Amino acid sequence: MVARATGMKGDSRVGIGMTSARTRERLVQRLREQGISNPLVLEQIRNVPRHLFVDEALATRAYEDTALPIGYGQTISQPYVVARMTEALLENATPGKVLEIGTGCGYQTAVLAPLVRFIYSVERINALLDRARARFKELRISNVHLRHGDGFQGWPMYAPYDAILMAAAPLTVPRALIDQLAPGGRLVAPVGPEGRQQLVRITKRGDELHTENLGAVSFVPLVQGLS
Ligand code: SAH
């Protein structure tokens, strides 16, 4: 698939059918039926224009509850999974500083951004990062800091983080990320090999890690090195 290198000014997709309130409301209703209950999260799913995060050819499918390709072998996460992870991250706490691994097209980041103070987001594919940066500017999202880097290392400069969200699956959670989690902080991540991943939430309590299993998921793998 050819990557869209341009911004969204004058975008013909704005104002056509798939951006309609009804289409988005259907998606919100579906997520509610699947158990998403945090009203702030549902409000964000309703508000964030997902069609602006995918290739024009796929925009008509933007409000289906499905992952879609965003180029470079990567995908925009399924809305249900974005909502579930966001809800798990926010449950009983409002994190101030969040580290995100795998910015991708920036959709998950955009959903989370108004619900926390700052997001520090790391992406290994520079071209995706550039496009995400342009979208955040367009959508006036200003509390997100982006870095072209390898998520295995986290982003030590701004650590510790109240919460860490991973959008790509490691086989085991990298030690560097656990180290960058604040006391009482939580990490939400898909963990495991392709086809056998589980979404986990790890909470740091003193020297102990409390792990909860949130169910089976399917994510792209966390890969080492930059591109
Ligand atoms: N959050 C995105 C989905 C991202 S897909 C959304 O809302 O749609 C996962 C992303 O993780 C991809 O863009 C991939 O390039 C990135 N990724 C994979 N391994 C990584 C690593 N080691 N460090 C940083 N990003 C990584």
Side-chain angles (χ1 to χ4, degrees), residues 4-191:
R4 274 168 55 86
T6 54
M8 278 106 35
K9 282 244 163 61
D11 197 311
S12 60
R13 290 172 292 172
V14 178
I16 44 181
M18 71 264 173
T19 70
S20 79
R22 194 148 38 92
T23 315
R24 295 186 191 198
E25 202 50 50
R26 252 200 310 268
L27 174 60
V28 169
Q29 186 53 34
R30 191 189 152 111
L31 299 193
R32 211 181 265 128
E33 283 161 14
Q34 288 181 317
I36 304 298
S37 61
N38 185 327
L40 297 173
V41 174
L42 291 168
E43 183 69 10
Q44 279 302 98
I45 295 287
R46 186 182 288 114
N47 288 344
V48 175
R50 191 168 185 256
H51 62 284
L52 298 183
F53 289 82
V54 297
D55 194 85
E56 196 157 359
L58 293 168
T60 52
R61 301 189 54 200
Y63 297 96
E64 292 175 16
D65 188 24
T66 176
L68 295 167
I70 53 171
Y72 310 93
Q74 307 303 320
T75 54
I76 180 171
S77 303
Q78 181 192 356
Y80 171 76
V81 172
V82 169
R84 184 75 191 92
M85 290 180 88
T86 309
E87 195 169 70
L89 207 75
L90 297 178
E91 198 177 318
N92 303 325
T94 304
K97 257 197 300 181
V98 179
L99 173 65
E100 179 185 49
I101 305 299
T103 320
C105 65
Y107 176 66
Q108 164 79 71
T109 324
V111 168
L112 185 61
L115 307 179
V116 300
R117 190 123 184 263
F118 294 112
I119 301 181
Y120 296 85
S121 188
V122 180
E123 170 58 54
R124 65 178 285 276
I125 301 177
N126 208 18
L128 286 176
L129 205 59
D130 285 344
R131 288 157 68 192
R133 188 176 282 115
R135 287 184 184 108
F136 296 152
K137 198 161 172 232
E138 191 86 14
L139 297 171
R140 296 192 164 76
I141 295 171
S142 56
N143 60 337
V144 175
H145 302 271
L146 297 175
R147 179 182 194 206
H148 182 219
D150 182 351
F152 277 95
Q153 319 297 328
W155 194 345
M157 198 199 290
Y158 297 103
Y161 300 96
D162 303 310
I164 299 179
L165 188 155
M166 300 187 72
L171 294 178
T172 57
V173 176
R175 186 70 229 178
L177 299 185
I178 299 290
D179 290 344
Q180 290 171 32
L181 202 55
R186 49 178 52 164
L187 176 148
V188 174
V191 178

Side-chain angles (χ1 to χ4, degrees), residues 175 178 181-185 203-209:
R175 186 70 229 178
I178 299 290
L181 202 55
T203 308
K204 200 181 210 178
R205 293 193 186 134
D207 288 338
E208 294 197 354
L209 298 176

